Amino acid sequence: MATPSPSPVHPVPRRSAAPPAALDLLAKAHSGLAEAARLPRPNERYATAHLAALRTAAAVLAARGRPEPVHPRRRPRIRSAWEVLPEIAPELTEWSALFASGAARRARAEAGIPDAASGRDADDLVRAVSMFLRLVERMLALPAAQPTLDPKGGQAPGQAVPQPRPRPRPQRPDAG
């Protein structure tokens, strides 16, 4: 009896798909980050970028999170995403600490307290959130989103340079 020939189709490792809730949160984080990059006031830029980081963390929790066991007689205490994230994704502990330390500043910025965040604080946070978002997308095995451009036609801060699309070759009749 002849041995069967190997299959012409090679197995391709499949990427794990994130749940729809996580994908929606990541999409909202991207749009929030793009909006933050365009905002002129540092307080607004800081608060909007911090919200994008929070949505990114929520996407990780939606993709990997496990509910805490609930004692029948006690309600679980409410914890921030920054407290839960290191338990679910220990590799993001330092990011969690970074964004947790900015939560009070975000609250002051949202409250309209003058100079709650400087321009540099806001710009640094926008860059950090951009890196955090890309890291989470890689961690969840998602393709990176397309870079967003600011309304003036330039590239939003912290975004990758868009690559030109290849043009199709024109069809030529054979010369022979």
mmCIF file with all atom_site columns, all heavy atoms in Angstrom, residues 45-73:
data_model
loop_
_atom_site.group_PDB
_atom_site.id
_atom_site.type_symbol
_atom_site.label_atom_id
_atom_site.label_alt_id
_atom_site.label_comp_id
_atom_site.label_asym_id
_atom_site.label_entity_id
_atom_site.label_seq_id
_atom_site.pdbx_PDB_ins_code
_atom_site.Cartn_x
_atom_site.Cartn_y
_atom_site.Cartn_z
_atom_site.occupancy
_atom_site.B_iso_or_equiv
_atom_site.pdbx_formal_charge
_atom_site.auth_seq_id
_atom_site.auth_comp_id
_atom_site.auth_asym_id
_atom_site.auth_atom_id
_atom_site.pdbx_PDB_model_num
ATOM 1   N N   . ARG A 1 45 ? -6.428  67.518 26.525 1.00 0.00 ? 45 ARG A N   1
ATOM 2   C CA  . ARG A 1 45 ? -5.586  66.519 25.878 1.00 0.00 ? 45 ARG A CA  1
ATOM 3   C C   . ARG A 1 45 ? -5.205  65.423 26.876 1.00 0.00 ? 45 ARG A C   1
ATOM 4   O O   . ARG A 1 45 ? -5.262  64.230 26.566 1.00 0.00 ? 45 ARG A O   1
ATOM 5   C CB  . ARG A 1 45 ? -4.340  67.192 25.290 1.00 0.00 ? 45 ARG A CB  1
ATOM 6   C CG  . ARG A 1 45 ? -3.616  66.373 24.271 1.00 0.00 ? 45 ARG A CG  1
ATOM 7   C CD  . ARG A 1 45 ? -2.660  67.179 23.404 1.00 0.00 ? 45 ARG A CD  1
ATOM 8   N NE  . ARG A 1 45 ? -1.615  67.877 24.113 1.00 0.00 ? 45 ARG A NE  1
ATOM 9   C CZ  . ARG A 1 45 ? -1.527  69.204 24.218 1.00 0.00 ? 45 ARG A CZ  1
ATOM 10  N NH1 . ARG A 1 45 ? -2.412  69.995 23.633 1.00 0.00 ? 45 ARG A NH1 1
ATOM 11  N NH2 . ARG A 1 45 ? -0.544  69.760 24.885 1.00 0.00 ? 45 ARG A NH2 1
ATOM 12  N N   . TYR A 1 46 ? -4.831  65.828 28.083 1.00 0.00 ? 46 TYR A N   1
ATOM 13  C CA  . TYR A 1 46 ? -4.439  64.868 29.114 1.00 0.00 ? 46 TYR A CA  1
ATOM 14  C C   . TYR A 1 46 ? -5.621  63.968 29.487 1.00 0.00 ? 46 TYR A C   1
ATOM 15  O O   . TYR A 1 46 ? -5.484  62.730 29.525 1.00 0.00 ? 46 TYR A O   1
ATOM 16  C CB  . TYR A 1 46 ? -3.931  65.615 30.356 1.00 0.00 ? 46 TYR A CB  1
ATOM 17  C CG  . TYR A 1 46 ? -3.290  64.698 31.365 1.00 0.00 ? 46 TYR A CG  1
ATOM 18  C CD1 . TYR A 1 46 ? -1.920  64.470 31.333 1.00 0.00 ? 46 TYR A CD1 1
ATOM 19  C CD2 . TYR A 1 46 ? -4.038  64.041 32.334 1.00 0.00 ? 46 TYR A CD2 1
ATOM 20  C CE1 . TYR A 1 46 ? -1.313  63.614 32.248 1.00 0.00 ? 46 TYR A CE1 1
ATOM 21  C CE2 . TYR A 1 46 ? -3.447  63.187 33.250 1.00 0.00 ? 46 TYR A CE2 1
ATOM 22  C CZ  . TYR A 1 46 ? -2.090  62.987 33.192 1.00 0.00 ? 46 TYR A CZ  1
ATOM 23  O OH  . TYR A 1 46 ? -1.489  62.138 34.095 1.00 0.00 ? 46 TYR A OH  1
ATOM 24  N N   . ALA A 1 47 ? -6.767  64.569 29.780 1.00 0.00 ? 47 ALA A N   1
ATOM 25  C CA  . ALA A 1 47 ? -7.931  63.786 30.208 1.00 0.00 ? 47 ALA A CA  1
ATOM 26  C C   . ALA A 1 47 ? -8.393  62.829 29.110 1.00 0.00 ? 47 ALA A C   1
ATOM 27  O O   . ALA A 1 47 ? -8.726  61.672 29.386 1.00 0.00 ? 47 ALA A O   1
ATOM 28  C CB  . ALA A 1 47 ? -9.073  64.724 30.609 1.00 0.00 ? 47 ALA A CB  1
ATOM 29  N N   . THR A 1 48 ? -8.382  63.267 27.873 1.00 0.00 ? 48 THR A N   1
ATOM 30  C CA  . THR A 1 48 ? -8.827  62.424 26.766 1.00 0.00 ? 48 THR A CA  1
ATOM 31  C C   . THR A 1 48 ? -7.843  61.287 26.519 1.00 0.00 ? 48 THR A C   1
ATOM 32  O O   . THR A 1 48 ? -8.243  60.145 26.268 1.00 0.00 ? 48 THR A O   1
ATOM 33  C CB  . THR A 1 48 ? -9.018  63.275 25.496 1.00 0.00 ? 48 THR A CB  1
ATOM 34  O OG1 . THR A 1 48 ? -9.928  64.347 25.806 1.00 0.00 ? 48 THR A OG1 1
ATOM 35  C CG2 . THR A 1 48 ? -9.589  62.465 24.355 1.00 0.00 ? 48 THR A CG2 1
ATOM 36  N N   . ALA A 1 49 ? -6.559  61.553 26.614 1.00 0.00 ? 49 ALA A N   1
ATOM 37  C CA  . ALA A 1 49 ? -5.556  60.504 26.444 1.00 0.00 ? 49 ALA A CA  1
ATOM 38  C C   . ALA A 1 49 ? -5.654  59.485 27.583 1.00 0.00 ? 49 ALA A C   1
ATOM 39  O O   . ALA A 1 49 ? -5.542  58.279 27.353 1.00 0.00 ? 49 ALA A O   1
ATOM 40  C CB  . ALA A 1 49 ? -4.155  61.107 26.393 1.00 0.00 ? 49 ALA A CB  1
ATOM 41  N N   . HIS A 1 50 ? -5.872  59.957 28.799 1.00 0.00 ? 50 HIS A N   1
ATOM 42  C CA  . HIS A 1 50 ? -5.988  59.046 29.936 1.00 0.00 ? 50 HIS A CA  1
ATOM 43  C C   . HIS A 1 50 ? -7.211  58.149 29.774 1.00 0.00 ? 50 HIS A C   1
ATOM 44  O O   . HIS A 1 50 ? -7.163  56.954 30.100 1.00 0.00 ? 50 HIS A O   1
ATOM 45  C CB  . HIS A 1 50 ? -6.057  59.835 31.249 1.00 0.00 ? 50 HIS A CB  1
ATOM 46  C CG  . HIS A 1 50 ? -5.768  58.992 32.446 1.00 0.00 ? 50 HIS A CG  1
ATOM 47  N ND1 . HIS A 1 50 ? -6.729  58.253 33.078 1.00 0.00 ? 50 HIS A ND1 1
ATOM 48  C CD2 . HIS A 1 50 ? -4.611  58.762 33.122 1.00 0.00 ? 50 HIS A CD2 1
ATOM 49  C CE1 . HIS A 1 50 ? -6.189  57.613 34.099 1.00 0.00 ? 50 HIS A CE1 1
ATOM 50  N NE2 . HIS A 1 50 ? -4.896  57.902 34.142 1.00 0.00 ? 50 HIS A NE2 1
ATOM 51  N N   . LEU A 1 51 ? -8.291  58.699 29.250 1.00 0.00 ? 51 LEU A N   1
ATOM 52  C CA  . LEU A 1 51 ? -9.485  57.899 28.992 1.00 0.00 ? 51 LEU A CA  1
ATOM 53  C C   . LEU A 1 51 ? -9.193  56.827 27.936 1.00 0.00 ? 51 LEU A C   1
ATOM 54  O O   . LEU A 1 51 ? -9.665  55.695 28.039 1.00 0.00 ? 51 LEU A O   1
ATOM 55  C CB  . LEU A 1 51 ? -10.640 58.793 28.550 1.00 0.00 ? 51 LEU A CB  1
ATOM 56  C CG  . LEU A 1 51 ? -11.950 58.087 28.243 1.00 0.00 ? 51 LEU A CG  1
ATOM 57  C CD1 . LEU A 1 51 ? -12.465 57.316 29.453 1.00 0.00 ? 51 LEU A CD1 1
ATOM 58  C CD2 . LEU A 1 51 ? -12.986 59.104 27.778 1.00 0.00 ? 51 LEU A CD2 1
ATOM 59  N N   . ALA A 1 52 ? -8.392  57.160 26.940 1.00 0.00 ? 52 ALA A N   1
ATOM 60  C CA  . ALA A 1 52 ? -8.003  56.170 25.924 1.00 0.00 ? 52 ALA A CA  1
ATOM 61  C C   . ALA A 1 52 ? -7.197  55.041 26.568 1.00 0.00 ? 52 ALA A C   1
ATOM 62  O O   . ALA A 1 52 ? -7.368  53.869 26.218 1.00 0.00 ? 52 ALA A O   1
ATOM 63  C CB  . ALA A 1 52 ? -7.207  56.836 24.806 1.00 0.00 ? 52 ALA A CB  1
ATOM 64  N N   . ALA A 1 53 ? -6.340  55.375 27.526 1.00 0.00 ? 53 ALA A N   1
ATOM 65  C CA  . ALA A 1 53 ? -5.574  54.343 28.233 1.00 0.00 ? 53 ALA A CA  1
ATOM 66  C C   . ALA A 1 53 ? -6.507  53.452 29.053 1.00 0.00 ? 53 ALA A C   1
ATOM 67  O O   . ALA A 1 53 ? -6.346  52.231 29.090 1.00 0.00 ? 53 ALA A O   1
ATOM 68  C CB  . ALA A 1 53 ? -4.533  54.987 29.147 1.00 0.00 ? 53 ALA A CB  1
ATOM 69  N N   . LEU A 1 54 ? -7.497  54.063 29.671 1.00 0.00 ? 54 LEU A N   1
ATOM 70  C CA  . LEU A 1 54 ? -8.459  53.299 30.461 1.00 0.00 ? 54 LEU A CA  1
ATOM 71  C C   . LEU A 1 54 ? -9.257  52.344 29.581 1.00 0.00 ? 54 LEU A C   1
ATOM 72  O O   . LEU A 1 54 ? -9.488  51.190 29.940 1.00 0.00 ? 54 LEU A O   1
ATOM 73  C CB  . LEU A 1 54 ? -9.379  54.265 31.208 1.00 0.00 ? 54 LEU A CB  1
ATOM 74  C CG  . LEU A 1 54 ? -10.313 53.667 32.243 1.00 0.00 ? 54 LEU A CG  1
ATOM 75  C CD1 . LEU A 1 54 ? -9.542  52.902 33.296 1.00 0.00 ? 54 LEU A CD1 1
ATOM 76  C CD2 . LEU A 1 54 ? -11.121 54.782 32.888 1.00 0.00 ? 54 LEU A CD2 1
ATOM 77  N N   . ARG A 1 55 ? -9.639  52.806 28.406 1.00 0.00 ? 55 ARG A N   1
ATOM 78  C CA  . ARG A 1 55 ? -10.367 51.931 27.477 1.00 0.00 ? 55 ARG A CA  1
ATOM 79  C C   . ARG A 1 55 ? -9.477  50.789 26.996 1.00 0.00 ? 55 ARG A C   1
ATOM 80  O O   . ARG A 1 55 ? -9.951  49.668 26.791 1.00 0.00 ? 55 ARG A O   1
ATOM 81  C CB  . ARG A 1 55 ? -10.891 52.743 26.303 1.00 0.00 ? 55 ARG A CB  1
ATOM 82  C CG  . ARG A 1 55 ? -12.083 53.592 26.693 1.00 0.00 ? 55 ARG A CG  1
ATOM 83  C CD  . ARG A 1 55 ? -12.599 54.385 25.535 1.00 0.00 ? 55 ARG A CD  1
ATOM 84  N NE  . ARG A 1 55 ? -13.853 55.034 25.904 1.00 0.00 ? 55 ARG A NE  1
ATOM 85  C CZ  . ARG A 1 55 ? -14.241 56.208 25.455 1.00 0.00 ? 55 ARG A CZ  1
ATOM 86  N NH1 . ARG A 1 55 ? -13.482 56.866 24.583 1.00 0.00 ? 55 ARG A NH1 1
ATOM 87  N NH2 . ARG A 1 55 ? -15.383 56.730 25.822 1.00 0.00 ? 55 ARG A NH2 1
ATOM 88  N N   . THR A 1 56 ? -8.205  51.066 26.817 1.00 0.00 ? 56 THR A N   1
ATOM 89  C CA  . THR A 1 56 ? -7.271  50.015 26.407 1.00 0.00 ? 56 THR A CA  1
ATOM 90  C C   . THR A 1 56 ? -7.156  48.964 27.510 1.00 0.00 ? 56 THR A C   1
ATOM 91  O O   . THR A 1 56 ? -7.180  47.756 27.231 1.00 0.00 ? 56 THR A O   1
ATOM 92  C CB  . THR A 1 56 ? -5.896  50.624 26.086 1.00 0.00 ? 56 THR A CB  1
ATOM 93  O OG1 . THR A 1 56 ? -6.062  51.629 25.083 1.00 0.00 ? 56 THR A OG1 1
ATOM 94  C CG2 . THR A 1 56 ? -4.926  49.573 25.589 1.00 0.00 ? 56 THR A CG2 1
ATOM 95  N N   . ALA A 1 57 ? -7.045  49.406 28.752 1.00 0.00 ? 57 ALA A N   1
ATOM 96  C CA  . ALA A 1 57 ? -6.981  48.465 29.876 1.00 0.00 ? 57 ALA A CA  1
ATOM 97  C C   . ALA A 1 57 ? -8.285  47.667 29.967 1.00 0.00 ? 57 ALA A C   1
ATOM 98  O O   . ALA A 1 57 ? -8.253  46.452 30.224 1.00 0.00 ? 57 ALA A O   1
ATOM 99  C CB  . ALA A 1 57 ? -6.726  49.215 31.178 1.00 0.00 ? 57 ALA A CB  1
ATOM 100 N N   . ALA A 1 58 ? -9.403  48.324 29.752 1.00 0.00 ? 58 ALA A N   1
ATOM 101 C CA  . ALA A 1 58 ? -10.693 47.632 29.793 1.00 0.00 ? 58 ALA A CA  1
ATOM 102 C C   . ALA A 1 58 ? -10.782 46.567 28.704 1.00 0.00 ? 58 ALA A C   1
ATOM 103 O O   . ALA A 1 58 ? -11.398 45.511 28.907 1.00 0.00 ? 58 ALA A O   1
ATOM 104 C CB  . ALA A 1 58 ? -11.832 48.642 29.651 1.00 0.00 ? 58 ALA A CB  1
ATOM 105 N N   . ALA A 1 59 ? -10.149 46.813 27.559 1.00 0.00 ? 59 ALA A N   1
ATOM 106 C CA  . ALA A 1 59 ? -10.132 45.812 26.493 1.00 0.00 ? 59 ALA A CA  1
ATOM 107 C C   . ALA A 1 59 ? -9.376  44.559 26.938 1.00 0.00 ? 59 ALA A C   1
ATOM 108 O O   . ALA A 1 59 ? -9.797  43.436 26.646 1.00 0.00 ? 59 ALA A O   1
ATOM 109 C CB  . ALA A 1 59 ? -9.501  46.398 25.227 1.00 0.00 ? 59 ALA A CB  1
ATOM 110 N N   . VAL A 1 60 ? -8.274  44.747 27.653 1.00 0.00 ? 60 VAL A N   1
ATOM 111 C CA  . VAL A 1 60 ? -7.523  43.599 28.167 1.00 0.00 ? 60 VAL A CA  1
ATOM 112 C C   . VAL A 1 60 ? -8.384  42.830 29.161 1.00 0.00 ? 60 VAL A C   1
ATOM 113 O O   . VAL A 1 60 ? -8.459  41.596 29.119 1.00 0.00 ? 60 VAL A O   1
ATOM 114 C CB  . VAL A 1 60 ? -6.200  44.037 28.837 1.00 0.00 ? 60 VAL A CB  1
ATOM 115 C CG1 . VAL A 1 60 ? -5.497  42.863 29.501 1.00 0.00 ? 60 VAL A CG1 1
ATOM 116 C CG2 . VAL A 1 60 ? -5.292  44.701 27.829 1.00 0.00 ? 60 VAL A CG2 1
ATOM 117 N N   . LEU A 1 61 ? -9.061  43.549 30.028 1.00 0.00 ? 61 LEU A N   1
ATOM 118 C CA  . LEU A 1 61 ? -9.916  42.892 31.016 1.00 0.00 ? 61 LEU A CA  1
ATOM 119 C C   . LEU A 1 61 ? -11.070 42.161 30.337 1.00 0.00 ? 61 LEU A C   1
ATOM 120 O O   . LEU A 1 61 ? -11.442 41.061 30.762 1.00 0.00 ? 61 LEU A O   1
ATOM 121 C CB  . LEU A 1 61 ? -10.444 43.915 32.026 1.00 0.00 ? 61 LEU A CB  1
ATOM 122 C CG  . LEU A 1 61 ? -9.381  44.630 32.855 1.00 0.00 ? 61 LEU A CG  1
ATOM 123 C CD1 . LEU A 1 61 ? -10.017 45.653 33.787 1.00 0.00 ? 61 LEU A CD1 1
ATOM 124 C CD2 . LEU A 1 61 ? -8.527  43.650 33.625 1.00 0.00 ? 61 LEU A CD2 1
ATOM 125 N N   . ALA A 1 62 ? -11.611 42.742 29.271 1.00 0.00 ? 62 ALA A N   1
ATOM 126 C CA  . ALA A 1 62 ? -12.695 42.080 28.538 1.00 0.00 ? 62 ALA A CA  1
ATOM 127 C C   . ALA A 1 62 ? -12.198 40.809 27.845 1.00 0.00 ? 62 ALA A C   1
ATOM 128 O O   . ALA A 1 62 ? -12.925 39.821 27.754 1.00 0.00 ? 62 ALA A O   1
ATOM 129 C CB  . ALA A 1 62 ? -13.290 43.037 27.508 1.00 0.00 ? 62 ALA A CB  1
ATOM 130 N N   . ALA A 1 63 ? -10.961 40.849 27.372 1.00 0.00 ? 63 ALA A N   1
ATOM 131 C CA  . ALA A 1 63 ? -10.413 39.693 26.660 1.00 0.00 ? 63 ALA A CA  1
ATOM 132 C C   . ALA A 1 63 ? -9.929  38.600 27.605 1.00 0.00 ? 63 ALA A C   1
ATOM 133 O O   . ALA A 1 63 ? -10.057 37.419 27.307 1.00 0.00 ? 63 ALA A O   1
ATOM 134 C CB  . ALA A 1 63 ? -9.268  40.141 25.755 1.00 0.00 ? 63 ALA A CB  1
ATOM 135 N N   . ARG A 1 64 ? -9.365  38.976 28.736 1.00 0.00 ? 64 ARG A N   1
ATOM 136 C CA  . ARG A 1 64 ? -8.729  38.000 29.623 1.00 0.00 ? 64 ARG A CA  1
ATOM 137 C C   . ARG A 1 64 ? -9.374  37.864 30.988 1.00 0.00 ? 64 ARG A C   1
ATOM 138 O O   . ARG A 1 64 ? -9.014  36.960 31.736 1.00 0.00 ? 64 ARG A O   1
ATOM 139 C CB  . ARG A 1 64 ? -7.278  38.404 29.873 1.00 0.00 ? 64 ARG A CB  1
ATOM 140 C CG  . ARG A 1 64 ? -6.372  38.235 28.724 1.00 0.00 ? 64 ARG A CG  1
ATOM 141 C CD  . ARG A 1 64 ? -4.973  38.405 29.277 1.00 0.00 ? 64 ARG A CD  1
ATOM 142 N NE  . ARG A 1 64 ? -3.956  38.186 28.286 1.00 0.00 ? 64 ARG A NE  1
ATOM 143 C CZ  . ARG A 1 64 ? -2.679  38.295 28.542 1.00 0.00 ? 64 ARG A CZ  1
ATOM 144 N NH1 . ARG A 1 64 ? -2.260  38.621 29.747 1.00 0.00 ? 64 ARG A NH1 1
ATOM 145 N NH2 . ARG A 1 64 ? -1.787  38.081 27.601 1.00 0.00 ? 64 ARG A NH2 1
ATOM 146 N N   . GLY A 1 65 ? -10.221 38.774 31.341 1.00 0.00 ? 65 GLY A N   1
ATOM 147 C CA  . GLY A 1 65 ? -10.719 38.865 32.713 1.00 0.00 ? 65 GLY A CA  1
ATOM 148 C C   . GLY A 1 65 ? -11.533 37.671 33.157 1.00 0.00 ? 65 GLY A C   1
ATOM 149 O O   . GLY A 1 65 ? -12.216 37.025 32.385 1.00 0.00 ? 65 GLY A O   1
ATOM 150 N N   . ARG A 1 66 ? -11.419 37.377 34.410 1.00 0.00 ? 66 ARG A N   1
ATOM 151 C CA  . ARG A 1 66 ? -12.216 36.347 35.062 1.00 0.00 ? 66 ARG A CA  1
ATOM 152 C C   . ARG A 1 66 ? -12.891 37.017 36.256 1.00 0.00 ? 66 ARG A C   1
ATOM 153 O O   . ARG A 1 66 ? -12.226 37.694 37.042 1.00 0.00 ? 66 ARG A O   1
ATOM 154 C CB  . ARG A 1 66 ? -11.346 35.201 35.566 1.00 0.00 ? 66 ARG A CB  1
ATOM 155 C CG  . ARG A 1 66 ? -10.512 34.538 34.506 1.00 0.00 ? 66 ARG A CG  1
ATOM 156 C CD  . ARG A 1 66 ? -11.363 33.585 33.689 1.00 0.00 ? 66 ARG A CD  1
ATOM 157 N NE  . ARG A 1 66 ? -10.580 32.923 32.676 1.00 0.00 ? 66 ARG A NE  1
ATOM 158 C CZ  . ARG A 1 66 ? -10.462 33.338 31.423 1.00 0.00 ? 66 ARG A CZ  1
ATOM 159 N NH1 . ARG A 1 66 ? -11.048 34.431 31.021 1.00 0.00 ? 66 ARG A NH1 1
ATOM 160 N NH2 . ARG A 1 66 ? -9.753  32.649 30.554 1.00 0.00 ? 66 ARG A NH2 1
ATOM 161 N N   . PRO A 1 67 ? -14.177 36.823 36.390 1.00 0.00 ? 67 PRO A N   1
ATOM 162 C CA  . PRO A 1 67 ? -14.837 37.447 37.540 1.00 0.00 ? 67 PRO A CA  1
ATOM 163 C C   . PRO A 1 67 ? -14.331 36.870 38.854 1.00 0.00 ? 67 PRO A C   1
ATOM 164 O O   . PRO A 1 67 ? -13.975 35.695 38.933 1.00 0.00 ? 67 PRO A O   1
ATOM 165 C CB  . PRO A 1 67 ? -16.316 37.117 37.346 1.00 0.00 ? 67 PRO A CB  1
ATOM 166 C CG  . PRO A 1 67 ? -16.386 36.141 36.239 1.00 0.00 ? 67 PRO A CG  1
ATOM 167 C CD  . PRO A 1 67 ? -15.050 36.063 35.565 1.00 0.00 ? 67 PRO A CD  1
ATOM 168 N N   . GLU A 1 68 ? -14.269 37.722 39.850 1.00 0.00 ? 68 GLU A N   1
ATOM 169 C CA  . GLU A 1 68 ? -13.854 37.270 41.170 1.00 0.00 ? 68 GLU A CA  1
ATOM 170 C C   . GLU A 1 68 ? -14.950 36.388 41.755 1.00 0.00 ? 68 GLU A C   1
ATOM 171 O O   . GLU A 1 68 ? -16.135 36.633 41.526 1.00 0.00 ? 68 GLU A O   1
ATOM 172 C CB  . GLU A 1 68 ? -13.666 38.466 42.109 1.00 0.00 ? 68 GLU A CB  1
ATOM 173 C CG  . GLU A 1 68 ? -12.464 39.291 41.822 1.00 0.00 ? 68 GLU A CG  1
ATOM 174 C CD  . GLU A 1 68 ? -12.317 40.419 42.829 1.00 0.00 ? 68 GLU A CD  1
ATOM 175 O OE1 . GLU A 1 68 ? -13.174 40.576 43.711 1.00 0.00 ? 68 GLU A OE1 1
ATOM 176 O OE2 . GLU A 1 68 ? -11.332 41.148 42.717 1.00 0.00 ? 68 GLU A OE2 1
ATOM 177 N N   . PRO A 1 69 ? -14.559 35.384 42.515 1.00 0.00 ? 69 PRO A N   1
ATOM 178 C CA  . PRO A 1 69 ? -15.604 34.600 43.182 1.00 0.00 ? 69 PRO A CA  1
ATOM 179 C C   . PRO A 1 69 ? -16.340 35.495 44.179 1.00 0.00 ? 69 PRO A C   1
ATOM 180 O O   . PRO A 1 69 ? -15.722 36.253 44.921 1.00 0.00 ? 69 PRO A O   1
ATOM 181 C CB  . PRO A 1 69 ? -14.840 33.476 43.883 1.00 0.00 ? 69 PRO A CB  1
ATOM 182 C CG  . PRO A 1 69 ? -13.409 33.876 43.870 1.00 0.00 ? 69 PRO A CG  1
ATOM 183 C CD  . PRO A 1 69 ? -13.225 34.917 42.808 1.00 0.00 ? 69 PRO A CD  1
ATOM 184 N N   . VAL A 1 70 ? -17.644 35.417 44.147 1.00 0.00 ? 70 VAL A N   1
ATOM 185 C CA  . VAL A 1 70 ? -18.458 36.279 45.006 1.00 0.00 ? 70 VAL A CA  1
ATOM 186 C C   . VAL A 1 70 ? -18.946 35.462 46.194 1.00 0.00 ? 70 VAL A C   1
ATOM 187 O O   . VAL A 1 70 ? -19.522 34.392 46.035 1.00 0.00 ? 70 VAL A O   1
ATOM 188 C CB  . VAL A 1 70 ? -19.658 36.853 44.218 1.00 0.00 ? 70 VAL A CB  1
ATOM 189 C CG1 . VAL A 1 70 ? -20.517 37.714 45.107 1.00 0.00 ? 70 VAL A CG1 1
ATOM 190 C CG2 . VAL A 1 70 ? -19.174 37.616 43.008 1.00 0.00 ? 70 VAL A CG2 1
ATOM 191 N N   . HIS A 1 71 ? -18.675 36.004 47.364 1.00 0.00 ? 71 HIS A N   1
ATOM 192 C CA  . HIS A 1 71 ? -19.177 35.378 48.586 1.00 0.00 ? 71 HIS A CA  1
ATOM 193 C C   . HIS A 1 71 ? -20.676 35.662 48.649 1.00 0.00 ? 71 HIS A C   1
ATOM 194 O O   . HIS A 1 71 ? -21.097 36.796 48.410 1.00 0.00 ? 71 HIS A O   1
ATOM 195 C CB  . HIS A 1 71 ? -18.450 35.972 49.806 1.00 0.00 ? 71 HIS A CB  1
ATOM 196 C CG  . HIS A 1 71 ? -18.712 35.219 51.069 1.00 0.00 ? 71 HIS A CG  1
ATOM 197 N ND1 . HIS A 1 71 ? -19.810 35.456 51.840 1.00 0.00 ? 71 HIS A ND1 1
ATOM 198 C CD2 . HIS A 1 71 ? -18.025 34.210 51.661 1.00 0.00 ? 71 HIS A CD2 1
ATOM 199 C CE1 . HIS A 1 71 ? -19.784 34.648 52.881 1.00 0.00 ? 71 HIS A CE1 1
ATOM 200 N NE2 . HIS A 1 71 ? -18.708 33.880 52.794 1.00 0.00 ? 71 HIS A NE2 1
ATOM 201 N N   . PRO A 1 72 ? -21.487 34.691 48.970 1.00 0.00 ? 72 PRO A N   1
ATOM 202 C CA  . PRO A 1 72 ? -22.934 34.909 48.918 1.00 0.00 ? 72 PRO A CA  1
ATOM 203 C C   . PRO A 1 72 ? -23.453 35.996 49.860 1.00 0.00 ? 72 PRO A C   1
ATOM 204 O O   . PRO A 1 72 ? -24.486 36.584 49.603 1.00 0.00 ? 72 PRO A O   1
ATOM 205 C CB  . PRO A 1 72 ? -23.543 33.547 49.270 1.00 0.00 ? 72 PRO A CB  1
ATOM 206 C CG  . PRO A 1 72 ? -22.431 32.731 49.813 1.00 0.00 ? 72 PRO A CG  1
ATOM 207 C CD  . PRO A 1 72 ? -21.141 33.338 49.368 1.00 0.00 ? 72 PRO A CD  1
ATOM 208 N N   . ARG A 1 73 ? -22.725 36.304 50.914 1.00 0.00 ? 73 ARG A N   1
ATOM 209 C CA  . ARG A 1 73 ? -23.217 37.292 51.885 1.00 0.00 ? 73 ARG A CA  1
ATOM 210 C C   . ARG A 1 73 ? -22.553 38.654 51.754 1.00 0.00 ? 73 ARG A C   1
ATOM 211 O O   . ARG A 1 73 ? -22.960 39.582 52.436 1.00 0.00 ? 73 ARG A O   1
ATOM 212 C CB  . ARG A 1 73 ? -23.009 36.783 53.295 1.00 0.00 ? 73 ARG A CB  1
ATOM 213 C CG  . ARG A 1 73 ? -23.817 35.554 53.572 1.00 0.00 ? 73 ARG A CG  1
ATOM 214 C CD  . ARG A 1 73 ? -23.578 35.111 54.987 1.00 0.00 ? 73 ARG A CD  1
ATOM 215 N NE  . ARG A 1 73 ? -24.156 33.814 55.189 1.00 0.00 ? 73 ARG A NE  1
ATOM 216 C CZ  . ARG A 1 73 ? -24.856 33.493 56.257 1.00 0.00 ? 73 ARG A CZ  1
ATOM 217 N NH1 . ARG A 1 73 ? -25.035 34.358 57.214 1.00 0.00 ? 73 ARG A NH1 1
ATOM 218 N NH2 . ARG A 1 73 ? -25.346 32.284 56.367 1.00 0.00 ? 73 ARG A NH2 1
#
